[in-house]
Amino acid sequence: MAERTHKPDYLLLATVGSLVAFGLVMIYSSSFVEGYNLHNNQYYYLLRQMVGAAIGTVGLLVAQRIDYRMWRKYSIHLMAACIGLLVLVLILPASITEVNNSRSWIRLGEGGVFGLFSVQPAEIAKLIIIIYFADWLSRRSEKVGNVTYGLIPFAVMMGLIFGLVMLQPDLGTGVVLVLIGGSIYFAAGARVWHILGAIGLAVASFWFLISVAGYRNARIMAFQDPEKYYSTFGFQPTHALYALGSGGIFGQGLGQARQKFQWLPQAHTDTIYAIIGEELGLVGTVLVLIAFAIIAYRGYRIAGRAPNPFASLVAVGITSWITLQAFINLGVTTSLLPFTGLTLPFVSYGSTSLYMNMIAIGVLLNISKHTSQHQPEEITDAPRIRPRPKLAFLNNLAVWRGHGRARLPGFGSGHRYRRR
Amino acid sequence: MNVRVLLRTSALLVAVGLIAVGIFQPIEAEGRWLLFLWAAAPLLGVAAWLTVPPTVPSLARNVGNIGLVILIGFALLSLQLLRQQVLYADTIYHHVAVAADGSTTSNVRPVINSQRILRGRMFDRKGTLLADRTSVQGFAHRTYPIAERYDPAIFGHVLGFFSTRYGQSGLESFYNTYLTGERGNELERLRERLVGGTPQGNDLTLTLNADLQAAASAALGGRVGSVVVLDPRTGAILALVSQPSFDPRGLTFNPAAASWEAENLRVSQYWQQLIADGSQQPLVNRATQGLYPPGSTFKSLTAIAALEYAAEGQPDTITCPNTFLPQPDAPPIVNAVPNLAGLTGDPSDLERVFAYSCNTAFAQYALRLGPERMSEIARRFDILPPQRGTTNYAGFRELPTAQSLLYVEPGFLNMPRALADTGYGQGQLLVTPLHMALLTAAIGNEGVMMQPYLVQRITRPDGGQITSHVPRPIRRTMDTNTARIMVQHMGAVAAYGFGSSVDNFTPAGVTVGGKSGTAEHVPGARPHAWFIALAPLEAPRFAVAVMVESGGEGSSVGAELAGRVLGAAFATE
């Protein structure tokens, strides 16, 4: 049965596609002021993001055709390359890598065609650690609960990646990496007290980090009282709040945000959600939230029905990555969490982030082709009439050719059922 | 199984309760709401976890649990969005954040909206256009057409400034909602909201007489001080001058300027100049916010008290000794002029001790009346003891107005010397020039104190009237007879007393009354010159209070200024 494949999860694909398209619109809306001011080109950020979206689309289509088991074969190689890239970003001259005091980028040039393209190794690392840990943990399903063979090697590997990212420094990405690793580890069957101990250790080390790195400490304080620290770190939350409050229920209209006129910093990256809130109101913000909820639902459903533990863990990792990062970004914008720089998947500006997210969705879609249609307890002996899926119309959309075989529209589901 | 249901229900109830209480916390208590929200999150998790029937640990179940955590996180986000975009959206929109160093931040949206609105115009009582507005490329610009005739700074304190950066003052501030059209023209706002259009504010017609205001300012010259002219019959403020003043044009951003940066710089430089040390505080409206000892002008109140309580006060049985010792352990009270008894006669009466401003006589009246009666009479004029007073005077709200005080330290009047000092206008009295004008007007209006006002009418851009001020009495402060006697006594001041130069500038045949005041404030410094005046005495149309900071003698400096103001009032009527 695992060898037989079926159609990928079209709802997931449609949601991601809508988010990417919506993101391009919002990026233009939120960045034309800054693009014009800094680069004398209002399309500056939109162009770069479109390059990312193009790469991402190709990447997604390719990744969903590559059998997920292929990744498993190269998990060690990928991890080595990932560590290499993370070290490279620290070694290369600052002129190539440094933006906003963080050495996170490898840029191939400022202007010209290559200026449209840059690489953020930490974004690539997110997908690679998912594959690596999924492979590693699925190999030792019995020993995951064991301290010596499970917890310690896992913690060492996690710590190495986290440490490399923290040297850039990029706390937000580091936290997401740990959360991704943690969710895979939990899904693989970790002992609850290991997880609790790890959380305690993480909180302690987090506290250590923020008290050593003074600026993040100030950010925590700014989170507690944004107005008091207005001129320094409360600036962003205060203006994000103004943007959301001004939007109200129906928003001020697309393109009508005021906070993007150099009031709200990083309007097109970290705080794009605030601009969505000001322009499209609660309607827009809730729709984005629903889109991520759909991704979470479909992603974890794929994980739950995956044909083997490796596929399941990869699906968990990818879904957790996207939804947790979205949660942190939205939480930060709505002052639910302390301020930290993280992009909103598929929507925020950041081409590496965009195409890596899309490639990850490609991998997830490939796994969705191999899922078992029913969970074991759903199968009964009685003859069963398969209900027509609510979103079956998506099967008729001409965007997807399946396996290249012609399909008869309208008879899709029944036809498929008989064939199986 | 029952335990599970019970646990689940209670966790859910506690979580819902926490959220319900927290979500209505005011926006200033954001920290408390976040605490409640995060406290509710694990409870929601427990409730959801207990809902799912227990199964054997499996990968699918672990995945389900992770999904549950994400679900709760999204629920928290939804609640936060509900609070920020629905429940408190309006509060956040108008919220002004104050930083630790006192700097403030507000939402840029209402600020920009305020720049688009064509604010209402302001006219004086004769229809002279004081403040107008023009539209420059969609941006409204406040202009002052009165500048063609007079310096707009003369009107600065009354009209106030309108600045997108520094806010509003004066009538611009008090009538902001009318001037923006937010109030009074709701239908039009609704129409604009639906079909668009430039919002236009409502016009104000003031009680001010621009010519009198300019003449009063000219009479004050470059001196620091204030002039208030009221119509005693209605309480209408005809002139209200406070110097030094500011030019509202200096703080008004002109969108037609070639360089907006230079324009912003000009505005901020003017602001810095206004608030600089040594600028003599031109933003303070001395006529309504300046608290000064009233000096001998306050003797009119003591005289009213003596007339109202004639049995205790015995107004016409009085002497005017050179010194008077109310308290053995305190220095004696002396008159400003030696051997005043030669002028007042001995024994004297209220008219003559009032006309010649005899300190020792009024000290005796105050002691005869006692602290309770003095306080009671002062309270009729809204001159309050500190325990009862608020910071702002409630009788006049259109401009920021300080509450006049009978004394500062509680129990002050219980000392005989303090009571005696208060009787002739020193002690711890702190009075605004507007308040002395109100007292004068009450005498002129047969004892009824009218509520002062500056805006006669508010009209829509199409000319329709929104409101019109109807004169309102504050209260009857004294008997009609007392008021008539007081008018006579004030007439005696102008006829033969100290301050007889007050009628030098009024048209022939107009009878004038008044009372001078020379208020000591800092030992050794020149005293403040005061004068209150009424004219014409038969049926007073003008009540004047003038005050020159460290100006000198009230009977000369004050009387001349008041006389000139009265002259202008008749000339520009």
Side-chain angles (χ1 to χ4, degrees), chain A residues 269-293:
Chain A
T269 59
D270 300 351
T271 50
I272 195 164
Y273 196 58
I275 300 298
I276 295 172
E278 188 173 1
E279 299 194 346
L280 304 174
L282 188 71
V283 177
T285 51
V286 165
L287 278 178
V288 171
L289 203 60
I290 289 173
F292 280 105

Side-chain angles (χ1 to χ4, degrees), chain B residues 315-354:
Chain B
D316 289 327
T317 315
I318 195 74
T319 57
C320 182
N322 277 333
T323 60
F324 174 65
L325 194 68
Q327 204 174 327
D329 55 343
I333 291 163
V334 295
N335 286 325
V337 180
N339 295 322
L340 204 55
L343 291 168
T344 61
D346 195 15
S348 183
D349 56 21
L350 179 59
E351 183 183 304
R352 277 177 292 165
V353 294
F354 188 74

Side-chain angles (χ1 to χ4, degrees), chain B residues 414-483:
Chain B
N414 293 334
M415 293 181 287
R417 170 69 207 241
L419 181 61
D421 282 347
T422 307
Y424 64 91
Q426 291 289 155
Q428 293 183 343
L429 277 162
L430 284 174
V431 182
T432 60
L434 174 71
H435 222 114
M436 286 317 293
L438 282 178
L439 187 146
T440 314
I443 295 170
N445 193 36
E446 301 192 321
V448 178
M449 188 157 82
M450 301 299 290
Q451 188 169 23
Y453 65 100
L454 262 172
V455 171
Q456 182 63 57
R457 252 194 329 278
I458 306 176
T459 44
R460 290 195 192 90
D462 60 14
Q465 179 172 297
I466 297 167
T467 58
S468 174
H469 184 93
V470 180
R472 278 186 288 267
I474 294 177
R475 69 178 71 84
R476 171 166 285 283
T477 57
M478 66 190 106
D479 195 73
T480 316
N481 210 30
T482 309

Side-chain angles (χ1 to χ4, degrees), chain A residues 183 186-189 223 227-228 230 238-239 241-242 244-249 252 256-259 263 273 277-278 281-282 285-286 289 292-293 296 300 303-304 309 312-313 316 320 323-324 327 330-331 333-337 375, chain B residues 27-28 30-31 33-34 37-38 58-67 69-70 72-74 76-78 80-82 84-86 88-90 92-101 103-110 112 116:
Chain A
S183 60
F186 176 77
F223 161 67
E227 291 167 11
K228 197 166 155 198
Y230 173 77
T238 306
H239 284 288
L241 197 62
Y242 279 142
L244 289 170
S246 302
I249 297 176
Q252 299 281 355
Q256 297 294 317
R258 280 286 163 202
Q259 295 297 334
W263 291 100
Y273 196 58
E278 188 173 1
L282 188 71
T285 51
V286 165
L289 203 60
F292 280 105
Y300 288 125
S312 180
L313 293 181
V316 166
S320 301
T323 50
L324 282 171
F327 171 70
L330 305 191
T333 308
T334 55
S335 314
L336 196 64
L337 296 169
Q375 283 184 318
Chain B
I27 208 76
E28 286 78 17
E30 183 79 7
W33 152 242
L34 287 175
L37 187 59
W38 279 112
S58 71
L59 212 142
R61 175 152 165 87
N62 292 344
V63 168
N65 286 337
I66 295 176
V69 171
I70 300 281
I72 289 167
F74 278 26
L76 299 191
L77 281 175
S78 312
Q80 185 76 336
L81 286 175
L82 178 71
Q84 292 182 349
Q85 297 209 277
V86 182
Y88 283 94
D90 218 39
I92 290 170
Y93 183 79
H94 291 290
H95 185 65
V96 177
V98 183
D101 58 352
S103 62
T104 57
T105 313
S106 56
N107 192 353
V108 66
R109 254 178 196 286
I112 288 173
R116 306 249 176 222

Side-chain angles (χ1 to χ4, degrees), chain B residues 499-518:
Chain B
S500 53
S501 60
V502 70
D503 55 4
N504 290 358
F505 307 92
T506 39
V510 173
T511 49
V512 181
K515 180 73 195 86
S516 67
T518 308

Side-chain angles (χ1 to χ4, degrees), chain A residues 30 72 118 140 149 191 231 334:
Chain A
S30 58
R72 189 168 197 173
S118 67
R140 52 196 71 200
Y149 295 99
R191 297 265 165 83
S231 55
T334 55

